[in-house]
Amino acid sequence: MKQIVFATNNKHKLQEIREIVGDKLTISSLLDIGCTEDIPENEPTLEGNALAKARYVKEHYGYDCFADDTGLEVEVLGGQPGVRSARYAPGDGHDSEANMKLLLENMKGHENRHARFRTVIALIADGKEQLVEGIVNGTITEERSGSDGFGYDPIFCPDGFDVTFAQMTSDEKNSISHRGRATRSLLEILKNL
């Protein structure tokens, strides 16, 4: 079975990816390879951040790897928070509660609540770099619903559903999510390596 490094320290993302790939692939985390440094995400695009993280692992640790970056893009806010989704609210970043609170405040008074989650995965394997993308369209709810998932899941309702990602089981979410779609595209590439 092929082994590959997922360039993340986010335990939620790691668990989600491992659930999606099942026994098709062995996924190691950054901690598994001894990488404890915080890899910078300073690029202006999801593609740039994903590539930067994957290149860092390849250059410093030598492993074939993949990295992702995900953004919630809200139509009426011109695509924000986008690449800054994890660091949307002021502060040290990665505060999901503060991020959701700020987004809901910024959405007050807007009838257009269309949004999409977009995941870009950068793969470096067999000396090649490749990008895949997964998108799921939906709407931003008026209030939080559900306790599963992470990030903006309690306020994102995917098109065709009347529940948020946070109200779905992990299997339900992974079958339609942005990360699930991007990961399935990644697996197709890895099958042919």
Side-chain angles (χ1 to χ4, degrees):
M1 185 186 306
K2 188 162 181 69
Q3 182 166 2
I4 195 160
V5 173
F6 180 20
T8 189
N9 281 318
N10 183 317
K11 64 183 179 183
H12 299 294
K13 283 185 181 183
L14 184 63
Q15 177 182 343
E16 205 168 80
I17 291 275
R18 284 178 171 160
E19 287 174 1
I20 293 165
V21 302
D23 60 2
K24 297 176 186 83
L25 194 62
T26 300
I27 305 225
S28 299
S29 68
L30 290 178
L31 282 178
D32 293 334
I33 64 167
C35 177
T36 56
E37 54 264 39
D38 197 13
I39 302 172
E41 296 181 52
N42 301 324
E43 299 299 321
T45 64
L46 299 176
E47 293 83 355
N49 278 336
L51 277 168
K53 290 186 281 186
R55 287 172 179 159
Y56 185 94
V57 170
K58 185 66 176 173
E59 289 167 15
H60 291 83
Y61 294 88
Y63 291 98
D64 281 355
C65 62
F66 68 94
D68 85 318
D69 200 18
T70 295
L72 176 62
E73 300 169 342
V74 180
E75 191 174 283
V76 76
L77 300 179
Q80 289 183 16
V83 73
R84 300 230 3 107
S85 291
R87 299 167 298 282
Y88 188 49
D92 293 336
H94 303 281
D95 182 342
S96 295
E97 285 301 315
N99 289 337
M100 281 190 287
K101 183 178 178 191
L102 178 59
L103 182 61
L104 289 174
E105 283 174 16
N106 290 340
M107 294 292 292
K108 280 186 180 163
H110 291 291
E111 286 185 32
N112 176 359
R113 302 188 77 82
H114 294 292
R116 69 179 188 172
F117 266 119
R118 189 164 70 95
T119 291
V120 175
I121 295 178
L123 169 68
I124 300 178
D126 290 352
K128 290 187 285 192
E129 293 182 352
Q130 299 181 65
L131 291 171
V132 295
E133 177 181 74
I135 294 173
V136 64
N137 293 301
T139 55
I140 301 300
T141 59
E142 305 243 347
E143 56 190 35
R144 294 171 183 81
S145 297
S147 57
D148 289 333
F150 63 100
Y152 296 91
D153 286 356
I155 61 170
F156 183 82
C157 180
D159 285 352
F161 294 83
D162 58 4
V163 294
T164 67
F165 271 164
Q167 292 172 291
M168 296 180 172
T169 67
S170 61
D171 285 345
E172 288 170 334
K173 178 188 171 188
N174 291 340
S175 71
I176 63 162
S177 76
H178 45 295
R179 191 166 293 107
R181 291 173 179 178
T183 303
R184 284 186 284 281
S185 296
L186 172 72
L187 286 172
E188 285 303 309
I189 293 172
L190 291 172
K191 275 198 293 193
N192 298 313
L193 292 179

